[in-house]
Amino acid sequence: MRKPMHGTTGALLLVGALSLEGLFLSALFLTRDNVFAGPSSVSKVVDPGDAAAGRSLFNGKGVCYYCHGVDGHLDKRPELAADTAALIARLNPPPSDLRNSKALRLKQDKQRAQAVREGHPGTGMFPDTTMTNQELADTLAYLALIRKEGRTGPQ
Ligand code: HEC
């Protein structure tokens, strides 16, 4: 019989499970990218971040909206499988409100880029290894936009 999980071990297991799911998703994306990526995707030139492209990434390939809500509105939860939603609901600390600039801890894009690339230490936010540098720049531009918009931004 399975014992109910509790305390730190339970939390760690949950975060572990979520990270695994992240890796699994990443693997899917990697496969997809390898199939479809044309020669242009290896270009190292990064244009200034495009917030509209960043929004699509945030609510799509980047999987950010799973935890941070659609368009960064924490109360706009996407439809997720029940077990995934339960794992996210139990994250401690909970996902940040990316529209509340006062409550955010990271102050520079360099730190934010690191959080996306390497994961956010001590939290359930797993590393995103599939974004190109351009996609990362676009995501950062979108994060800047929603910080500026605040909670009253487009719903
Ligand atoms: C598995 C859930 C999860 C996913 C997916 C996720 N995050 Fe997070 N994120 C968190 C948690 C949890 C924190 C940390 C909250 C804290 O430290 O209080 C966090 C923190 C952050 C921070 C730092 C906030 C600060 O205090 O300055 C940024 C920026 C961020 N996430 C952006 C993103 C972006 C962009 C994506 C998609 C590429 C993403 N997150 C995907 C859960 C997630």
Side-chain angles (χ1 to χ4, degrees):
M1 220 187 82
R2 267 181 68 195
K3 283 193 194 140
M5 294 189 299
H6 52 81
T8 321
T9 323
L12 282 176
L13 282 174
L14 283 167
V15 168
L18 200 58
S19 309
L20 274 181
E21 176 171 274
L23 285 178
F24 175 68
L25 286 170
S26 305
L28 280 181
F29 291 134
L30 270 180
T31 318
R32 194 194 60 183
D33 284 351
N34 285 345
V35 174
F36 294 111
S40 63
S41 70
V42 290
S43 156
K44 291 218 164 62
V45 181
V46 176
D47 295 325
D50 172 1
R55 183 181 181 206
S56 308
L57 289 161
F58 190 94
N59 293 317
K61 174 184 167 178
V63 203
C64 320
Y65 71 116
Y66 269 40
C67 295
H68 293 287
V70 176
D71 290 343
H73 289 289
L74 272 183
D75 55 348
K76 271 172 73 183
R77 294 265 163 216
E79 296 241 352
L80 297 173
D83 51 349
T84 309
L87 288 173
I88 292 171
R90 273 180 265 184
L91 284 179
N92 185 12
S96 327
D97 179 354
L98 297 176
R99 286 183 175 269
N100 182 0
S101 57
K102 287 203 194 93
L104 292 174
R105 274 182 271 210
L106 307 185
K107 302 298 174 201
Q108 290 162 17
D109 271 357
K110 210 173 146 193
Q111 301 168 307
R112 295 185 192 104
Q114 203 176 2
V116 173
R117 278 270 189 253
E118 293 167 24
H120 203 51
T123 78
M125 188 167 147
F126 45 78
D128 190 316
T129 51
T130 65
M131 277 198 197
T132 63
N133 289 340
Q134 183 63 57
E135 287 170 335
L136 185 58
D138 294 344
T139 304
L140 292 175
Y142 180 62
L143 292 181
L145 175 73
I146 63 175
R147 276 198 306 280
K148 215 168 94 193
E149 283 176 354
R151 293 231 179 92
T152 52
Q155 293 281 338

